[in-house]
Amino acid sequence: MIVVHCSDTEDGKNYTEKDIDRWHRAQGWAYGCGYHYVVQIDGTVERGRPEDLKGAHVKDHNLHSIGVCYIGGKRDGVYADTRTEAQKQSMLALLKDLKRRFPNAIIVGHNTLNKNKACPCFDAYQEYKNI
C-alpha cells in the first residue's frame, strides 16, 4: 500500500522532514521520521525513511506500505484539506512514480485504515484510484 497522511499542523506553517524527524524521535522512535516522503507546502518533496526501512505511520500496516505525508491538515485548529496547488501537483507526481515502481500497491488515506483518524483530511482512495 501507499498511505497518504497529513502532518496535523496548521495551514501555512511550513515544517520539514527534519521537524517531523525531531518530533518522532522525541516520542522515542529510534529511526525518527515515520514517513518515507514529506511534501512541503511549496511542493518540495523530501525523503524521510528509506523505502526499504519499515515505516512508522499506520498501525498494523507499516510492514507492507510506504508513507507519504503532506504538511498541513488543520485550519484554525479544525481538520481540513489544506493542500496547496503545489502540494497537489507534487503529490500526484510522487504517487504516479510510486505506482509505476509498485504497480500492485493501492493508494489509501490513513483514515481508510484507521477509521478514528481524520488524516489526511480528504478521500485519498477516491482521488487517486485511477493512478
Side-chain angles (χ1 to χ4, degrees), residues 75-91:
R75 183 173 290 122
D76 298 323
V78 177
Y79 285 104
D81 180 0
T82 61
R83 292 174 297 158
T84 64
E85 285 305 312
Q87 281 177 312
K88 288 179 182 179
Q89 291 174 11
S90 292
M91 285 178 64

Side-chain angles (χ1 to χ4, degrees), residues 35-92:
Y35 309 110
H36 297 94
Y37 295 93
V38 176
V39 183
Q40 293 182 14
I41 59 176
D42 70 357
T44 300
V45 176
E46 296 180 293
R47 289 216 174 216
R49 287 189 184 201
E51 287 179 6
D52 61 346
L53 188 61
K54 180 176 103 171
H57 57 95
V58 59
K59 186 178 180 181
D60 298 326
H61 299 283
N62 289 310
L63 193 58
H64 56 270
S65 65
I66 292 179
V68 175
C69 178
Y70 77 90
I71 298 297
K74 281 190 175 174
R75 183 173 290 122
D76 298 323
V78 177
Y79 285 104
D81 180 0
T82 61
R83 292 174 297 158
T84 64
E85 285 305 312
Q87 281 177 312
K88 288 179 182 179
Q89 291 174 11
S90 292
M91 285 178 64
L92 183 59

Side-chain angles (χ1 to χ4, degrees), residues 8-44:
D8 195 15
T9 55
E10 278 295 319
D11 184 28
K13 303 251 184 194
N14 199 28
Y15 295 98
T16 67
E17 183 276 336
K18 297 259 185 268
D19 294 312
I20 294 172
D21 184 77
R22 191 177 69 254
W23 300 337
H24 288 178
R25 285 183 190 277
Q27 294 178 31
W29 299 8
Y31 296 108
C33 183
Y35 309 110
H36 297 94
Y37 295 93
V38 176
V39 183
Q40 293 182 14
I41 59 176
D42 70 357
T44 300

